[in-house]
Amino acid sequence: MRYFRPTTLADALAIRREHAVTVLAGGTDLYPAASARRAWGDPAQADILDISGIAELRGIADEGDHWRIGALATWTDLIRADLPPLLDGLKAAGRAVGGVQIQNRGTLVGNACTASPAGDGIPNLLALDAAFEVSGRAIAAADFFTGYRATAAGPHDLVTAIRIPKRPGRGHFEKLGARRYLVISIAMVAFAVETDPAGRIRDARIAVGACAAVARRLAALEAELAGQPLAEAPGLVAAHHLAGLAPIDDVRASAAYRMAAARALVADGLAALSRTSDRRAA
């Protein structure tokens, strides 16, 4: 195994182009996967590109019309950052990712690049209309996730940041697991909702995770909610709004349970957003 640890982005991009390497940032996915391979009798280890020494990939920055989350920004960085209510859902997902030790090491970009259907950050990135910086080009989150643990990033690409456009509204996140924390999601839903002064929905973006090979936006529900009072939105959620989902049976839940849970989480999240709106109005 060869180990590369560049200190500049230019050097990292050059190494990525020239060598078949596995990218290491926080390592919270990479190390367990390597241990599992050894346990299964596969001692092979790919060459490593450790990007943790590249200062320009750190931090969360206000860049005018968007927020930029660097490839080395951790969940703890996100949780502690002074960010608008629109990113409350993404912060809530951060608090649900593992324990504090994982949050201190794990990165948002790494979570996205693993592209697990149960990745807690991914539905939020879809609801926020985020985009990825990939080797100098931008790829919308809607196009970035292409399948089960698959993304649009190629074998010689390097994802350097996530961009989240600045918009009005509030974010929210609902997650169901076998327990409250330290658990893989059975189903989860992310929201980004903007209302007018009368409490009617101007724009709703809702994404469900762990119920298909990739997280999915609920476009039909989003369209139906436009112009509706947020207080009445939970009662509008119907089974046909989730028709694009394709949950599976596994050790955590049956497909039928996941579908029912997703519908309940969507309604619960809209109700929570309505309560928040009522408190702020008061």
Side-chain angles (χ1 to χ4, degrees):
M1 183 193 77
R2 290 178 296 179
Y3 173 79
F4 302 93
R5 192 173 188 270
T7 56
T8 69
L9 178 56
D11 286 346
L13 290 169
I15 292 166
R16 185 70 164 141
R17 287 192 298 268
E18 296 168 9
H19 302 278
V21 292
T22 296
V23 179
L24 169 66
T28 57
D29 283 334
L30 179 61
Y31 287 120
S35 297
R37 284 196 301 272
R38 286 194 294 272
W40 296 334
D42 179 9
Q45 173 62 62
D47 294 341
I48 296 294
L49 170 58
D50 181 351
I51 62 171
S52 64
I54 305 174
E56 59 196 289
L57 298 182
R58 298 190 178 279
I60 299 172
D62 181 343
E63 301 210 338
D65 63 349
H66 67 275
W67 295 93
R68 184 179 186 274
I69 300 173
L72 293 177
T74 66
W75 292 106
T76 297
D77 292 335
L78 173 75
I79 293 165
R80 294 177 177 174
D82 182 14
L83 297 168
L86 183 66
L87 276 76
D88 283 354
L90 189 58
K91 283 192 169 191
R95 297 184 187 98
V97 173
V100 172
Q101 298 94 330
I102 295 296
Q103 294 165 17
N104 287 343
R105 291 293 306 170
T107 65
L108 282 73
V109 168
N111 179 264
C113 289
T114 297
S116 165
D120 290 322
I122 293 171
N124 286 278
L125 298 177
L126 291 174
L128 292 167
D129 279 338
F132 291 84
E133 293 180 7
V134 183
S135 299
R137 66 189 190 278
I139 301 178
D143 300 320
F144 184 76
F145 303 102
T146 58
Y148 176 77
R149 294 187 179 271
T151 73
H156 299 293
D157 281 326
L158 188 64
V159 181
T160 53
I162 297 169
R163 300 178 191 169
I164 298 175
K166 289 185 179 179
R167 292 176 174 173
R170 301 188 310 282
H172 186 70
F173 180 67
E174 295 279 345
K175 172 175 175 170
L176 174 66
R179 55 182 181 264
R180 186 173 179 86
Y181 294 108
L182 297 170
V183 67
I184 297 174
S185 295
I186 293 172
M188 55 183 159
V189 186
F191 304 80
V193 175
E194 179 191 356
T195 55
D196 65 17
R200 292 184 176 274
I201 296 172
R202 281 180 175 161
D203 182 41
R205 300 185 302 280
I206 304 170
V208 177
C211 290
V214 296
R216 296 193 181 280
R217 289 267 296 269
L218 302 182
L221 177 60
E222 293 172 356
E224 191 167 321
L225 290 177
Q228 299 294 329
L230 179 56
E232 298 177 12
L236 300 177
V237 182
H240 69 270
H241 293 131
L242 281 70
L245 302 182
I248 62 169
D249 298 319
D250 66 11
V251 295
R252 286 185 289 279
S254 68
Y257 182 85
R258 277 195 164 91
M259 189 68 83
R263 181 178 175 182
L265 290 175
V266 173
D268 288 349
L270 290 169
L273 283 163
S274 179
R275 291 193 297 270
T276 302
S277 180
D278 290 344
R279 286 196 299 270
R280 291 184 178 180

